[in-house]
Amino acid sequence: MTTAATGYPVHVHARLDPGLSRWLWLVKWFLAIPHYLVLAFLWLGFAVFSLVAFFAILFTGRYPRVLFDFNVGVLRWSWRVAYYTYGALATDRYPPFSLGPEPGYPATLDIEYPEHLSRGLVLVKWWLLAIPHYLVVGVFVSGGSYIAYQTGQIIYNSGGGLVGLMALFAGVALLFTGRYPKGLFDFVLGMDRWALRVAAYAGLMTDTYPPFRFDSGGDEPGATTIEQAPPPDLGHRGWSAGRVIAVVIGALLLLTGGAVAGTGGFGLWADSTQRDQAGFLSTGQESFRGEGYALEFGTLELRWTDADWALADGWLGEVRLRADDDVFIGIGRTDDVNRYLSGVEHDEVTTTGPAATYRHRGGGAPADPAVQTFWASSGTGQVTWRAEQGSWSAVVLNADRSRVVDTRLSAQAEVPALRPVSIGLLVGGGVLLLLGLVVMLVAALSAGQSRRNGTTTSVR
């Protein structure tokens, strides 16, 4: 059974399933997690292939058919998941893991393949011409970003804005009455249809401007149903499960490569722009205040094998602790620091959380810290220390050993290995990005070849 075209090349049809479960909609967010995970990678593939299609349209006026088939498949898959979950809640039938049309599923999407696309429109339609529609669709789907426009690509999730709210009302009606209100279904499908038309236009799949028309209900107005055998889906045949998995793997490589290369790029930026005149990288200054005679900064454990220590030392280099006033700063082994502060009123400071926490310890005044011999490094206002293995603590006291220590501190380090490590990350990330693109393009070329072979076979 097929449905005749209504004049617009994006055809969205759906039917409301009878006998919907009263409670299943409460857990569909959980049941759909496998789809969300796969779609996250497929949408990255959609973005990459849309970029390739952009240049293909710009130079040839054609959207490569194999890329068109894939991107339409991603929209179909996303639409089925949205229809099952909080983009409609109108079926309890679990969505198939498929890019194909799946005509037996209660929600279908078809987009007519354009034989020719405007080279000029491709430059402006997704970021300029579609803006009025983005404003309308934003009301329908904002908040949960069912379909949102971001950095020139369509990002598709499910359940948000007015669509999500209406689907929630439908879920509550199901819970208490066991029925999905027909008028509510028509309204939700009208919003979904509008959003999908905009998604196809912004995804460069058609030059026909989406109508400012609210076509509610499961079937498009004016469509006629014709009983006939469906044609072979040659476009879908090219995208086998193995090739779809290859796109997912390529997308994973792209994500990993982007993260690795981004980390390397950030490291190079910090190495080039964030060092002071002495070559140290610094954290921002933070304020610390204790009511006792000293501030004790927790235990720092440095443990490496002898073989690894040279590498660790080369990575960290010299470490500096700096105050904005003339307080005494000392760094020593934790056991020695504990003996020195035993019986001294002080505050133990923990800085692992978003804000420093203090634990007050009672006692008396401390001995003169300047005459103590256990410090690995000490000074007034600033201390420089080269890390060694062991357990270490830092102590800050007023120069006159008075109560209430109130100061601002910053930590600094040379980190001489930052540049070579960052370069290595940048190169490694670039290799992963290139490998991901190659895997995805090989999958697309293989799917295109398979489709051509299928076409030849069907004609013969």
Side-chain angles (χ1 to χ4, degrees):
M1 182 176 67
T2 61
T3 306
T6 60
Y8 194 73
V10 180
H11 310 294
V12 182
H13 301 278
R15 66 173 183 271
L16 178 62
D17 276 356
L20 292 172
S21 169
R22 290 174 179 259
W23 60 267
L24 186 62
W25 65 274
L26 295 170
V27 296
K28 284 182 176 179
W29 64 269
F30 177 77
L31 298 177
I33 287 176
H35 281 284
Y36 294 146
L37 294 176
V38 176
L39 283 171
F41 295 107
L42 292 181
W43 271 101
L44 181 56
F46 181 99
V48 172
F49 289 157
S50 293
L51 182 62
V52 175
F54 170 85
F55 288 103
I57 296 167
L58 184 63
F59 292 108
T60 70
R62 293 177 60 84
Y63 198 126
R65 183 58 188 261
V66 67
L67 303 186
F68 182 88
D69 292 338
F70 178 87
N71 284 355
V72 171
V74 174
L75 276 175
R76 283 170 174 161
W77 193 327
S78 301
W79 166 228
R80 289 191 293 259
V81 173
Y83 191 74
Y84 173 76
T85 57
Y86 306 100
L89 288 175
T91 183
D92 289 341
R93 181 175 168 184
Y94 198 71
F97 287 82
S98 169
L99 297 175
E102 303 296 335
Y105 196 75
T108 62
L109 168 67
D110 290 297
I111 302 176
E112 298 172 16
Y113 177 70
E115 294 297 335
H116 178 79
L117 291 167
S118 169
R119 299 183 186 184
L121 281 179
V122 75
L123 295 171
V124 295
K125 63 183 178 183
W126 52 270
W127 68 272
L128 178 62
L129 300 181
I131 287 177
H133 279 287
Y134 295 149
L135 299 178
V136 175
V137 172
V139 175
F140 294 162
V141 301
S142 62
S145 65
Y146 170 63
I147 295 179
Y149 176 71
Q150 185 178 22
T151 63
Q153 296 296 335
I154 296 296
I155 309 299
Y156 192 109
N157 294 310
S158 62
L162 192 56
V163 168
L165 181 62
M166 294 299 102
L168 176 62
F169 289 164
V172 173
L174 280 171
L175 187 64
F176 289 100
T177 69
R179 296 180 62 254
Y180 194 125
K182 182 62 167 59
L184 196 56
F185 171 78
D186 291 341
F187 183 55
V188 169
L189 261 294
M191 292 186 288
D192 286 336
R193 181 173 288 113
W194 194 318
L196 285 165
R197 288 171 176 172
V198 175
Y201 182 76
L204 311 179
M205 297 178 184
T206 179
D207 282 344
T208 306
Y209 198 70
F212 280 91
R213 185 177 69 237
F214 193 85
D215 291 336
S216 62
D219 289 321
E220 296 176 342
T224 56
T225 301
I226 305 171
E227 296 290 340
Q228 63 181 37
D233 184 24
L234 300 174
H236 170 56
R237 181 185 301 175
W239 284 103
S240 63
R243 296 184 183 103
V244 173
I245 292 172
V247 171
V248 171
I249 293 173
L252 180 60
L253 289 171
L254 285 179
L255 284 176
T256 305
V260 172
T263 302
F266 178 80
L268 283 178
W269 169 82
D271 183 78
S272 302
T273 65
Q274 301 302 300
R275 293 187 182 275
D276 61 17
Q277 292 182 347
F280 282 79
L281 294 170
S282 178
T283 64
Q285 281 196 333
E286 293 188 39
S287 297
F288 299 94
R289 176 185 172 88
E291 301 301 320
Y293 291 96
L295 295 172
E296 178 190 5
F297 292 85
T299 302
L300 174 63
E301 292 281 353
L302 298 178
R303 303 290 183 190
W304 286 277
T305 64
D306 291 339
D308 294 335
W309 178 250
L311 177 62
D313 180 59
W315 164 256
L316 192 60
E318 287 190 340
V319 178
R320 180 182 290 171
L321 194 61
R322 173 180 287 180
D324 65 350
D325 52 14
D326 292 332
V327 294
F328 175 88
I329 305 173
I331 298 175
R333 294 190 180 274
T334 300
D335 290 343
D336 295 330
V337 170
N338 288 340
R339 281 192 292 269
Y340 172 68
L341 293 177
S342 177
V344 174
E345 183 183 3
H346 67 284
D347 293 275
E348 297 175 352
V349 185
T350 303
T351 59
T352 54
T357 57
Y358 298 81
R359 185 175 182 181
H360 191 74
R361 299 289 191 179
D368 186 356
V371 302
Q372 307 301 316
T373 59
F374 63 83
W375 300 115
S377 183
S378 63
T380 301
Q382 177 178 297
V383 62
T384 301
W385 172 63
R386 183 168 287 276
E388 299 178 29
Q389 294 199 66
S391 299
W392 302 90
S393 297
V395 180
V396 178
L397 305 92
N398 290 325
D400 59 359
R401 287 182 282 166
S402 58
R403 292 181 74 253
V404 183
V405 182
D406 189 356
T407 188
R408 289 171 59 84
L409 300 172
S410 64
Q412 301 174 324
E414 286 183 312
V415 197
L418 180 59
R419 176 173 289 272
V421 169
S422 297
I423 292 174
L425 290 174
L426 199 59
V427 172
V431 170
L432 289 176
L433 284 169
L434 181 60
L435 183 59
L437 285 173
V438 169
V439 169
M440 294 177 69
L441 292 177
V442 167
L445 292 173
S446 176
Q449 183 62 43
S450 176
R451 185 183 182 279
R452 286 191 294 271
N453 292 340
T455 303
T456 302
T457 301
S458 64
V459 172
R460 184 179 61 193

